[in-house]
Amino acid sequence: MYALLGGSNMIYLNQKTRGLPYGLHVGSNVKNPVIAIDKDMESVKFNQVSGTLVEIEVWGCGTEQERQQQQEQKRWEVQQAEQQRKVKLPGQWDDNPDKALLEIAGINVNHSERGDT
């Protein structure tokens, strides 16, 4: 194995910014990368030679401590997602604090008493 380039800020992913190429780009120059993968992950350019992308293999590099921190972060994110799914909804509208705030603001939330026809 050999290194194509070295340095910081070598990988760039653009999904939204206009004016820059979309997709995953590897290299120090965003507009002229060494490797460019299109936003649909279907085609690749290596040194301006195009090809079809068949498979991507991703490796993670780091220490065992960093791996454990990443796993702990993932567990926390799953736990947070579960908690967000279990948001308790108030049972009765009359007891809802949102109703009280609207009434304090002078908004009549009892539609039957508003006189709308």
Side-chain angles (χ1 to χ4, degrees), residues 27-44:
S28 56
N29 182 349
V30 174
K31 293 194 177 195
N32 189 21
V34 175
I35 300 171
I37 300 172
D38 73 329
K39 66 180 181 175
D40 298 320
M41 299 282 178
E42 294 176 351
S43 65
V44 61

Side-chain angles (χ1 to χ4, degrees), residues 107-117:
I107 298 171
N108 186 358
V109 293
N110 293 322
H111 298 291
S112 61
E113 298 174 8
R114 287 175 50 180
D116 292 346
T117 54

Side-chain angles (χ1 to χ4, degrees), residues 4-111:
L4 299 172
L5 288 173
S8 61
N9 301 323
M10 294 293 293
I11 298 177
Y12 176 76
L13 175 64
N14 180 25
Q15 295 177 314
K16 297 180 182 179
T17 305
R18 288 185 272 164
L20 292 174
Y22 293 113
L24 182 66
H25 306 278
V26 179
S28 56
N29 182 349
V30 174
K31 293 194 177 195
N32 189 21
V34 175
I35 300 171
I37 300 172
D38 73 329
K39 66 180 181 175
D40 298 320
M41 299 282 178
E42 294 176 351
S43 65
V44 61
K45 280 187 181 179
F46 176 68
N47 286 329
Q48 301 302 319
V49 177
S50 296
T52 302
L53 189 60
V54 177
E55 184 177 299
I56 295 178
E57 185 174 324
V58 179
W59 289 37
C61 300
T63 65
E64 182 62 29
Q65 181 182 3
E66 291 169 326
R67 182 174 175 269
Q68 290 173 353
Q69 288 174 342
Q70 183 183 38
Q71 288 175 335
E72 186 176 316
Q73 177 70 24
K74 286 181 181 180
R75 280 192 294 273
W76 181 83
E77 289 174 4
V78 167
Q79 180 184 15
Q80 293 300 310
E82 276 298 316
Q83 287 178 355
Q84 294 298 320
R85 281 190 214 120
K86 297 179 182 177
V87 174
K88 292 183 181 178
L89 299 175
Q92 298 293 325
W93 174 243
D94 292 332
D95 300 331
N96 192 315
D98 293 335
K99 179 183 177 192
L101 286 173
L102 291 169
E103 288 175 343
I104 290 170
I107 298 171
N108 186 358
V109 293
N110 293 322
H111 298 291

